[in-house]
């Protein structure tokens, strides 16, 4: 684990002052950005491993990718390490800018090759989106190449279109690591994973100076950064899991941004002078995962009964607020190709009839696992109450990110509340989590696959998804997207989308230029702060 070095003594003192200051000491310095958040799910800072939401903002600021999705411009793909690129019938060729890593080593095409090969060879859940595009640990070395020091090329598989590949390359898992530095720290063939879990080796605007789990992350300016020097010299992410505490700290000026508030605390900042609420559309969902590998959840009638046994509207109105809206189809309702919602809603009598038809007239008991984090804990309690109305007794088991994620990946649950994102702002990007499961067998051990975790075997859906992802004709692809959604509803999903997910972020008006990213890849090198009033 990294610790403070001597030249950071002033930073330590300042952090302590911010943590212990009375109300009279309020305003944070103009060159420092303090974010109140939950660090509970930050488990690894290895960019080819860590996929958790809060991890992404750390990685976005310490690493670069070839390209990025510009949230301020309709999520358009724009250049980052690649100044330009050429698309032909067989692949994409990228031309790199002159840039250096924080170590001083130059960024080369070999680093890009190393990073993508490393992603696939580590073979963790982070590689899932590339696997669904046809890339694998076995073929990746034949699909990527360094044409010369500043020219990188990636070849298409038969399962991906150019737009979808560009969006994959804009993901946090596609961050380019310093291959020279990382290879100094390889331990027993781990591709430097043990070292990179707690260190950074990127070319982004910041470097990691400290990470204490469930406490604090400190980033400082990377003096080797290729872009314009950031106005914010230090970024502090403070673990403030209690929403009320974060709200009070934001009101006092102890923090500049809060992104883990409850819906009710977010509402207190509506129309409040000195604050702005940024409601980030993620393209993802809050989901009820049901383990279809266990009875009675293996029965589609039981899953349908559960779908009719949840008070979606009540949860949305009283718990989610700005965090989400009701949506049971895995494509956001305002995206091209989205179909109308089914009639799933709280209908207890219909749900009871389905349970009786399935052979469970007296109901049964299940355990619901959830991460102890806003708003999922309150959602779990509401689902427990709703399902009790139809005869299903639910006990709730809360845990930290490591415990619950591990249980999900091991198929060790009855019900579980995960959340998804969309790797690109299209119907296919959103559907990828819900319609992909090429091998449902336990032996496949495909823990990175969202549907596999629920043991839901969907060969027909998966085949349609593969066909849609390789179809370059827009009209034909749109027809396939409609078919996928209709079949998804018809099969009574074991991965039930409940609410389209938003990320409300409350920002002190002193902060200028902070725009939340749909994948949480929010960069702050363009952020500045005005003087406190």
């Amino acid at each position: 684990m990294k610790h403070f070095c001597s030249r950071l003594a002033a930073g330590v003192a300042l952090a302590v002052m911010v943590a212990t200051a009375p109300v009279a000491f309020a305003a944070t310095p103009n060159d420092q950005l303090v974010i109140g958040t939950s660090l509970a799910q930050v488990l690894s800072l290895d960019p080819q491993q860590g996929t958790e939401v809060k991890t992404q903002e750390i990685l976005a600021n310490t690493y670069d990718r070839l390209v990025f999705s510009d949230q301020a411009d309709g999520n358009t793909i724009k250049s980052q390490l690649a100044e330009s690129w050429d698309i032909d019938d067989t692949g994409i060729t990228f031309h790199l800018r002159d840039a250096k890593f924080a170590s001083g080593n130059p960024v080369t095409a070999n680093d890009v090759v190393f990073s993508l090969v490393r992603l696939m060879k580590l073979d963790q859940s982070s590689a899932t989106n590339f696997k669904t595009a046809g890339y694998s640990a076995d073929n990746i070395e034949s699909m990527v190449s360094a044409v010369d020091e500043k020219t990188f090329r990636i070849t298409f598989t038969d399962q991906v279109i150019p737009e979808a590949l560009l969006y994959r390359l804009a993901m946090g898992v596609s961050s380019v690591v310093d291959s020279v530095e990382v290879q100094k720290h390889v331990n027993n063939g781990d591709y430097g994973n043990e070292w990179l879990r707690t260190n950074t080796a990127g070319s982004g605007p910041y470097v990691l100076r400290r990470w204490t789990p469930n406490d604090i992350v400190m980033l400082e300016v990377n003096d080797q950064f290729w872009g314009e020097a950031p106005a914010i010299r230090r970024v502090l992410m403070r673990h403030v899991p209690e929403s009320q505490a974060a709200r009070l700290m934001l009101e006092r000026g102890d923090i500049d941004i809060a992104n883990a508030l409850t819906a009710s605390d977010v509402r207190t900042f509506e129309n409040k002078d000195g604050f702005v609420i940024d409601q980030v559309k993620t393209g993802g969902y809050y989901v009820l995962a049901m383990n279809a590998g266990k009875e009675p959840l293996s029965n589609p009638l039981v899953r349908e009964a559960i779908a009719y046994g949840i008070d979606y509207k009540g949860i949305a109105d009283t718990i989610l607020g700005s965090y989400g809206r009701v949506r049971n189809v895995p494509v956001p309702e305002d995206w091209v190709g989205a179909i109308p919602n089914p009639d799933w809603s709280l209908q207890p009598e219909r749900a009871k009839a389905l349970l009786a038809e399935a052979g469970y007239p007296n109901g049964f008991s299940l355990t619901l696992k959830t991460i102890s984090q806003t708003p999922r804990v309150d959602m779990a309690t509401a689902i427990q109450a709703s399902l009790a109305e139809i005869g299903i007794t639910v006990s709730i088991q809360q845990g930290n990110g490591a415990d619950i994620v591990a249980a999900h990946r091991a198929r060790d649950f009855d019900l579980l509340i995960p959340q998804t994102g969309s790797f690109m702002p299209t119907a296919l990007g959103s559907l990828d989590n819900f319609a992909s499961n090429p091998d449902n067998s336990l032996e496949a051990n495909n823990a990175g696959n969202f549907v596999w975790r629920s043991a839901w075997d969907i060969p027909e859906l998966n085949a349609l998804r593969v066909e849609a992802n390789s179809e370059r004709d827009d009209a034909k692809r749109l027809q396939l997207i409609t078919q996928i959604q209709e079949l998804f509803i018809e099969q009574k999903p074991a991965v039930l989308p409940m609410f389209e997910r938003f990320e409300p972020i409350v920002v002190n008006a002193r902060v200028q230029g902070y725009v939340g990213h749909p994948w949480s890849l929010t960069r702050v090198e363009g952020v500045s702060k005005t003087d406190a009033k």
Side-chain angles (χ1 to χ4, degrees), residues 246-253 255-258 269 275 506 508:
R247 176 176 60 81
L248 292 172
M249 292 169 72
L250 188 60
E251 290 172 338
R252 289 199 309 250
I255 59 177
D256 302 303
I257 296 170
F269 292 95
F275 298 95
V506 184
N508 189 304

Side-chain angles (χ1 to χ4, degrees), residues 315-358:
I315 293 173
D317 291 345
T318 62
I319 295 172
L320 285 182
S322 54
Y323 273 92
R325 65 184 177 192
V326 177
R327 180 69 172 160
N328 302 123
V329 179
V331 176
E333 63 183 36
D334 54 350
W335 284 13
V336 174
I339 68 171
N341 222 49
D343 70 341
W344 292 335
S345 58
L346 182 57
Q347 301 180 42
E349 295 309 314
R350 186 169 184 175
K352 289 177 184 177
L354 286 164
L355 288 180
E357 184 181 351

Side-chain angles (χ1 to χ4, degrees), residues 3-240:
H3 298 286
F4 279 117
C5 57
S6 58
R7 74 186 184 89
L8 292 176
V12 179
L14 180 56
V16 172
M17 288 172 65
V18 171
T20 60
V23 175
F25 183 81
T28 56
N30 283 4
D31 65 349
Q32 178 173 291
L33 187 68
V34 186
I35 302 172
T37 188
S38 171
L39 299 174
Q41 287 185 266
V42 180
L43 309 176
S44 169
L45 297 184
D46 185 333
Q48 273 85 55
Q49 180 182 47
T51 57
E52 293 75 19
V53 170
K54 306 305 179 185
T55 304
Q56 294 304 299
E57 188 158 1
I58 301 169
L59 299 178
N61 286 287
T62 51
Y63 291 89
D64 292 314
R65 291 142 284 150
L66 288 171
V67 293
F68 77 103
S69 170
D70 187 355
Q71 71 271 36
D73 187 20
N75 295 310
T76 303
I77 292 291
K78 294 186 177 180
S79 63
Q80 203 160 81
L81 284 176
E83 287 188 312
S84 63
W85 54 92
D86 307 308
I87 300 174
D88 56 44
D89 289 340
T90 60
I92 309 177
T93 302
F94 295 89
H95 308 282
L96 307 186
R97 69 172 71 251
D98 289 328
K100 290 183 178 180
F101 291 107
S103 65
N105 294 326
V107 177
T108 71
N110 285 324
D111 295 301
V112 184
V113 170
F114 176 84
S115 301
L116 291 176
V117 169
R118 182 177 186 274
L119 170 66
M120 303 311 298
K121 295 290 187 180
L122 280 174
D123 197 23
Q124 300 197 12
S125 61
S126 49
T128 298
N129 286 106
F130 278 85
K131 288 182 178 180
T132 60
Y135 297 95
S136 69
D138 293 331
N139 71 15
I140 188 63
E141 288 171 295
S142 66
M143 307 298 284
V144 295
S145 62
V147 178
D148 56 41
E149 189 174 82
K150 291 296 181 184
T151 309
F152 165 78
R153 180 168 174 81
I154 183 167
T155 302
F156 297 132
T157 69
D158 60 0
Q159 297 180 40
V160 69
I161 59 176
E163 176 191 45
L165 181 54
L166 285 169
Y167 275 110
R168 283 173 168 86
L169 292 169
M171 296 174 64
V173 299
S174 301
S175 297
V176 178
V177 303
D178 184 342
S179 63
V180 175
E181 187 66 25
V182 171
Q183 288 180 97
K184 294 177 184 177
H185 301 279
V186 172
N187 183 17
N188 294 323
D190 73 343
Y191 296 93
N193 173 251
E194 182 180 354
W195 182 75
L196 268 183
R197 288 174 66 90
T198 56
N199 294 270
T200 53
S203 57
Y206 295 88
V207 294
L208 177 70
R209 290 302 182 202
R210 181 187 177 192
W211 171 35
T212 303
N214 292 332
D215 182 15
I216 195 168
V217 171
M218 178 183 283
L219 309 179
E220 287 203 335
V221 162
N222 172 15
D223 293 332
Q224 300 285 349
F225 181 52
W226 51 268
E228 186 175 341
I232 300 295
R233 303 293 297 176
R234 178 181 292 119
V235 181
L236 284 172
M237 298 182 182
R238 298 179 55 187
H239 183 53
V240 191

Side-chain angles (χ1 to χ4, degrees), residues 225-521:
F225 181 52
W226 51 268
E228 186 175 341
I232 300 295
R233 303 293 297 176
R234 178 181 292 119
V235 181
L236 284 172
M237 298 182 182
R238 298 179 55 187
H239 183 53
V240 191
E242 295 295 331
S243 178
Q244 187 175 32
R247 176 176 60 81
L248 292 172
M249 292 169 72
L250 188 60
E251 290 172 338
R252 289 199 309 250
D254 295 340
I255 59 177
D256 302 303
I257 296 170
N259 61 19
L261 299 175
T262 62
S264 59
D265 281 329
V266 171
R267 289 190 193 101
T268 65
F269 292 95
E270 291 178 357
N271 304 313
K272 191 169 188 175
D273 288 344
F275 298 95
V276 176
I277 300 175
D278 181 11
Q279 189 179 27
V280 182
K281 182 180 177 67
T282 69
Y285 287 81
Y286 291 109
V287 178
L288 183 64
M290 310 179 213
N291 193 335
K294 294 183 176 183
E295 294 184 0
L297 296 168
S298 57
N299 190 324
L301 291 172
V302 169
R303 299 197 299 266
E304 186 178 13
I306 289 174
Y308 281 112
I310 297 174
D311 185 7
Y312 307 100
K313 186 177 185 305
I315 293 173
D317 291 345
T318 62
I319 295 172
L320 285 182
S322 54
Y323 273 92
R325 65 184 177 192
V326 177
R327 180 69 172 160
N328 302 123
V329 179
V331 176
E333 63 183 36
D334 54 350
W335 284 13
V336 174
I339 68 171
N341 222 49
D343 70 341
W344 292 335
S345 58
L346 182 57
Q347 301 180 42
E349 295 309 314
R350 186 169 184 175
K352 289 177 184 177
L354 286 164
L355 288 180
E357 184 181 351
Y360 299 96
N362 299 317
F364 45 81
S365 298
L366 297 171
T367 298
L368 170 58
K369 294 186 177 182
T370 182
I371 291 172
S372 303
Q373 194 174 70
T374 298
R376 283 185 268 187
V377 171
D378 291 334
M379 290 169 58
T381 302
I383 290 169
Q384 180 188 49
S386 288
L387 293 183
E389 292 188 41
I390 66 171
I392 299 176
T393 301
V394 174
S395 60
I396 297 173
Q397 182 179 332
Q398 298 183 36
N400 61 31
D403 293 338
I404 300 302
V405 171
H408 194 199
R409 291 174 177 171
R411 294 178 167 179
D412 179 22
F413 66 95
D414 298 329
L415 304 175
L416 192 145
I417 304 178
Q419 64 184 34
T420 70
S422 176
F423 75 91
M424 62 179 178
T426 67
L428 277 181
S430 183
L431 282 169
D432 212 61
N433 273 313
F434 295 89
S436 170
N437 190 8
D439 184 349
N440 192 54
S441 69
L442 188 62
E443 293 73 25
N445 194 27
N446 193 5
N449 184 286
F450 191 70
V451 174
W452 182 91
R453 296 178 190 181
S454 284
W456 187 37
D457 199 12
I458 51 168
E460 190 177 353
L461 267 175
N462 189 76
L464 282 172
R465 179 200 60 80
V466 170
E467 186 179 354
N469 272 281
S470 59
E471 179 56 67
R472 296 198 180 191
D473 183 282
D474 291 345
K476 291 180 181 178
R477 188 167 63 251
L478 197 59
Q479 290 177 350
L480 289 167
I481 286 169
T482 298
Q483 285 181 252
I484 292 169
Q485 294 170 86
E486 291 173 344
L487 183 59
F488 177 87
I489 298 299
E490 180 184 318
Q491 293 191 349
K492 318 307 177 190
V495 284
L496 174 64
M498 297 185 292
F499 308 98
E500 187 184 341
R501 184 171 66 84
F502 298 89
E503 287 285 348
I505 302 171
V506 184
V507 183
N508 189 304
R510 290 180 60 207
V511 177
Q512 304 293 307
Y514 186 94
V515 181
H517 194 279
W519 310 337
S520 296
L521 293 169

